[in-house]
Structure formats: structure tokens, C-alpha cells
């Protein structure tokens, strides 16, 4: 029996005007981007002015929304039903451009140019650990400050751990506002070469170590960068704190997205606990790609048993066949048959596999040539039946010997094809289908057990099960189908 959990109602969540931010989070590869896009489409077609912010390097969101590209500027999505008054925009985070915007916004033009041209800043803004997550939060704050949309849906970065989304902004802010950076700022604050000389006198050992580890040129770039950003360090921490308060506000809802797999649900469980510890509002869990069956009453065990029974029917043990095989292997029997055939006795079939023109149509009843070119019936015991009048054709041309030629039988395109399907083939097909059903039911049972373990640990977390689609989502219709399943899906219970 499957454990029950509260039902996550998606439509009331996205319809509520008090809901301003929805954050889809979870481990990588569980469908966060598809879920965020489907929520955006459904919210827009239900009357919300929504924008979807994705940090998806695969650009699947742009393809599914019919956009040629996504960049750091929200773009309107065509094809949305706006009859309810809603609209949808989408954008993809450009990490470096967002960092550049932060620099330009919080410093003067001359210092901003020095920062943007600094080699250390270019490396930092392009790929420093935590920069992507921090810039996602910066962009979220910018979109919220514009107040141009009443619903912002965030697709969190694809991380090795879902906790990176919460930890990275503080981690980057602490780095840029930490003691190490302050130490590197000391020469600039003291003043030029005198400062460097003072630092070398007081901390020559540390400076030598830093130069060896970082390189003298890199150390100089870092000091220049830090000196230029001196006025911004306090801003990084203050904005990180403001973002955290925004995520903790009542208008924010976190949706943890997972798949019915052990690792994904373990990560989701850890994330649920972390959200609770940080006092962040959890709306519920979206369980993606859940498998089911239209014949759930047929268990895997019964299906396998039925398949084995059909296998037994399709491969019976016939004792007569075994006797025939023994006769074929018996040299005395074989020799007798060959002697009969050489003597002209047609009642015994040739077993050597050679073709004998005098032994045509050796079946229980067959058509054979009679003297004079007429056709007649002959039984397997050599008896002759009534000549076939239908086969005689008096108008047929004569052969060179004067006898009328027997016309060649017409070639039937279906010759050799059974009039009715072979019941043995049908049995084999049914057995294979039963085995496929058994595999599906075993998968369903495994997913249900994994889900039940999560529910037993977090019985109060609302959940919605989203049935797996047969293919990938690549257009708005596919996103609408996911939205319908999000709204109608129910936690599996037995």
C-alpha cells in the first residue's frame, strides 16, 4: 500500500496574486527547466503577466517556446493565449553581462572601465565558483525591482547539489568581502609602491608565498581589481542579504522538483530540510516522470506466469514427432524407403532430399499429370481420383508431340501465406507483451517504494505526481500538456 501525502494544488498557487516569485529547484536532470516553462505558460494563459528566468545552458527553454534565442533581456513569447489578459516573457541568464551591469550600476564610469578591463575580473565574471548562482539572485532582484511582471518563475542553475543555489550567493559575497580580499587591498590603501614596500617589510613571507602560488602578475591583477571594487564590496553582502529576505517573503514559493529515483529524492529531502531551517516558504514537491499502467490490476507476477504458460502452449512436446525423427535416423527404414522409390512405388516419399519429377504434389490429395496430358487427383496411397474437368483446356495450343499443353498455373502473390494467423505466433506475441507489462509493473513498484520512503520522512510536504510523457517536450503544446498534468496530477495512493 502506498503512503498518502497532501495534494499540491498548482492552479491556486499560480492564480494567487500574492504569489510573486516561484523558484523551481532540485538536483540536475529532473526536469526543472520544463517544469518552470510549463508553469509560465499555464500562468500566462490563466491571466498572469509572467516572466521565466532560466539558467539552462542547453537552451531547451528557447526551443520549446519557439524562440530562436534567449539572452539577458526578457523576450515576449508568441503563441500564448492572452484572452485572459496574461502574457509571457522568457530570458536566459547571461552571467558575465549581469555582473557587468552590477559594476556599471554601483560605480562611476572611470572605475567601471578599470574593473571591466581587468583580467582577474574577466575570469571571475566568466566562471568563478558561485558566480552563476549569485548573478541569478542579482537578476531576480532586478526583475522584482522593475515590477513589470506580477509573477517571476526562476529555473535554478543545474548544480551538482541543489544547496549550491542557497549557498553560493553568501559564499561569493563572503569571498569578496572577506579577509583575504582585505589583505590584498592593503597595498592600494597604503598607497602605490610605498604600500607594496610596507607590505613586503611587514609580511614578506606571506607575500612571497602568494606570489609563488598565484604568480606575481596575477597577484598584481587581483590587487588592481580589489582596489577598483573597494566601493562595491559592502554592496555585495547587502544585496545578498536583501535577496535572502526576498526569498523568505510570503510572496515567494519554492517548488522542489525531483524524479522517482533514489538519488534525486534523497537530494530533495535534504533540500526540504534546508528550506525549513532557513525559514523559506516551501509550496511542495513536484515528482516528475512518474510511470504508470492502464492495467495495474495485472501484477508483474501474474503477467510472468501467464507468459510462461503461453510459452508452454507454443512449444508442445509431440510424441509422434519424436517417433518420426527416430524413423528418419533408422538406417533400415531409410534404406527401405529408398528401395521403394527406386522400384517406382510412389506411396513412399523420398527422404534423401533429391527432386523426383515423377513424384509431384505428394500430399494427401494433389493434382498430377495423367497420360494424354489430362489432370487427375491422386491420394497419398497412390489411388487415383476423378479427373479434373476444370483443368482440361481443349483450346490450348498443342505441344510438339501433338498433345495439348497444360497451362502453367497462375502465380498467386499470396501463395505460401497462411489464410489465418498462426495461433502459435499469436501466443508468442502475447507472451512478449506480458513480459513488457511485467517490466513496467516492476518499475512502477520500484518508483512507488522510493516515493513512499520520502513520504515517510516528510509526511506533511504537499506533492503532485506528473506522469511521464512518451517523448521530449519541444513546443508550446508539450508545455501545455505538462501544465495540465501538473494541475491534474494526484499523488499515487493505494
Amino acid at each position: 500500500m502506498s503512503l498518502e501525502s497532501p495534494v499540491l494544488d498548482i492552479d491556486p498557487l499560480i492564480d494567487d496574486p500574492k504569489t510573486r516569485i516561484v523558484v523551481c529547484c532540485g538536483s540536475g536532470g529532473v526536469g526543472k527547466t520544463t517544469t518552470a516553462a510549463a508553469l509560465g505558460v499555464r500562468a500566462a494563459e490563466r491571466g498572469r503577466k509572467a516572466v521565466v528566468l532560466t539558467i539552462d545552458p542547453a537552451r531547451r527553454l528557447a526551443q520549446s517556446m519557439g524562440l530562436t534565442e534567449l539572452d539577458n533581456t526578457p523576450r515576449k513569447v508568441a503563441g500564448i493565449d492572452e484572452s485572459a489578459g496574461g502574457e509571457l516573457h522568457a530570458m536566459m541568464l547571461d552571467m558575465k553581462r549581469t555582473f557587468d551591469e552590477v559594476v556599471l550600476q554601483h560605480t562611476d564610469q572611470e572605475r567601471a572601465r578599470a574593473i571591466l578591463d581587468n583580467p582577474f575580473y574577466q575570469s571571475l565574471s566568466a566562471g568563478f565558483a558561485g558566480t552563476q548562482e549569485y548573478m541569478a539572485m542579482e537578476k531576480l532582484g532586478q526583475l522584482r525591482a522593475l515590477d513589470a511582471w506580477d509573477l517571476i518563475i526562476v529555473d535554478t542553475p543545474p548544480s551538482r547539489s541543489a544547496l549550491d543555489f542557497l549557498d553560493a550567493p553568501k559564499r561569493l559575497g563572503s569571498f569578496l568581502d572577506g579577509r583575504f580580499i582585505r589583505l590584498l587591498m592593503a597595498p592600494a590603501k597604503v598607497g602605490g609602491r610605498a604600500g607594496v614596500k610596507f607590505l613586503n617589510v611587514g609580511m614578506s613571507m606571506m607575500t612571497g608565498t602568494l606570489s609563488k602560488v598565484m604568480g606575481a602578475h596575477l597577484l598584481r591583477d587581483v590587487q588592481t581589481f580589489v582596489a577598483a571594487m573597494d566601493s562595491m564590496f559592502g554592496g555585495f553582502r547587502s544585496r545578498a542579504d536583501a535577496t535572502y529576505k526576498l526569498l523568505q517573503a510570503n510572496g515567494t514559493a519554492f517548488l522542489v522538483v525531483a524524479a522517482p529515483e533514489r538519488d534525486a529524492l534523497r537530494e530533495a529531502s535534504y533540500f526540504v530540510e534546508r528550506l525549513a531551517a532557513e525559514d523559506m516558504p516551501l509550496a511542495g514537491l513536484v515528482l516528475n516522470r512518474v510511470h504508470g499502467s492502464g492495467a495495474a490490476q495485472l501484477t508483474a507476477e501474474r503477467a510472468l506466469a501467464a507468459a510462461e504458460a503461453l510459452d508452454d502452449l507454443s512449444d508442445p512436446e509431440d510424441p509422434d514427432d519424436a517417433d518420426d525423427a527416430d524413423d528418419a535416423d533408422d538406417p533400415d527404414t531409410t534404406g527401405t524407403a529408398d528401395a521403394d522409390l527406386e522400384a517406382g512405388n510412389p506411396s513412399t516419399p523420398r527422404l534423401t532430399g533429391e527432386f523426383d519429377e515423377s513424384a509431384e504434389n505428394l500430399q494427401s490429395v494433389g493434382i498430377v499429370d495423367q497420360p494424354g496430358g489430362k489432370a487427375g487427383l491422386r491420394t497419398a496411397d497412390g489411388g487415383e481420383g476423378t479427373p479434373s474437368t476444370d483443368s482440361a483446356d481443349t483450346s490450348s495450343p498443342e505441344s510438339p508431340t501433338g498433345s495439348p499443353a497444360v497451362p502453367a498455373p497462375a502465380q498467386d502473390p499470396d501463395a505460401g501465406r497462411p489464410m489465418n494467423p498462426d495461433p502459435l505466433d499469436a501466443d508468442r506475441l502475447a507472451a512478449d507483451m506480458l513480459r513488457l507489462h511485467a517490466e513496467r509493473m516492476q518499475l512502477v513498484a520500484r518508483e512507488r517504494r522510493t516515493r513512499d520512503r520520502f513520504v515517510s520522512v516528510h509526511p506533511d510536504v504537499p506533492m503532485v505526481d506528473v506522469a511521464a510523457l512518451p517523448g521530449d517536450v519541444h513546443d508550446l503544446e508539450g508545455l501545455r500538456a505538462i501544465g495540465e498534468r501538473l494541475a491534474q496530477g494526484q499523488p499515487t495512493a493505494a
Side-chain angles (χ1 to χ4, degrees), residues 161-242:
S161 172
L163 300 180
D164 289 347
F165 179 70
L166 293 178
D167 293 336
K170 281 187 176 180
R171 190 164 59 242
L172 181 62
S174 298
F175 168 75
L176 294 176
D177 200 20
R179 294 181 178 179
F180 178 71
I181 294 295
R182 296 298 177 183
L183 175 63
L184 295 176
M185 286 175 55
K189 286 191 172 183
V190 173
R193 294 181 180 178
V196 175
K197 182 178 180 181
F198 172 80
L199 184 62
N200 286 337
V201 170
M203 306 180 69
S204 58
M205 184 177 297
M206 179 173 293
T207 305
T209 303
L210 289 175
S211 298
K212 291 179 180 179
V213 173
M214 302 177 61
H217 184 69
L218 177 58
L219 181 60
R220 202 162 46 244
D221 289 339
V222 172
Q223 289 174 337
T224 303
F225 163 75
V226 170
M229 293 193 67
D230 183 24
S231 62
M232 295 182 58
F233 285 137
F236 279 105
R237 184 173 292 272
S238 63
R239 284 191 299 275
D241 294 339

Side-chain angles (χ1 to χ4, degrees), residues 106-125:
H106 295 91
T107 189
D108 59 80
Q109 185 174 0
E110 181 179 356
R111 184 169 293 186
R113 178 51 53 193
I115 294 173
L116 297 179
D117 293 340
N118 185 273
F120 178 75
Y121 167 78
Q122 293 174 1
S123 299
L124 175 70
S125 60

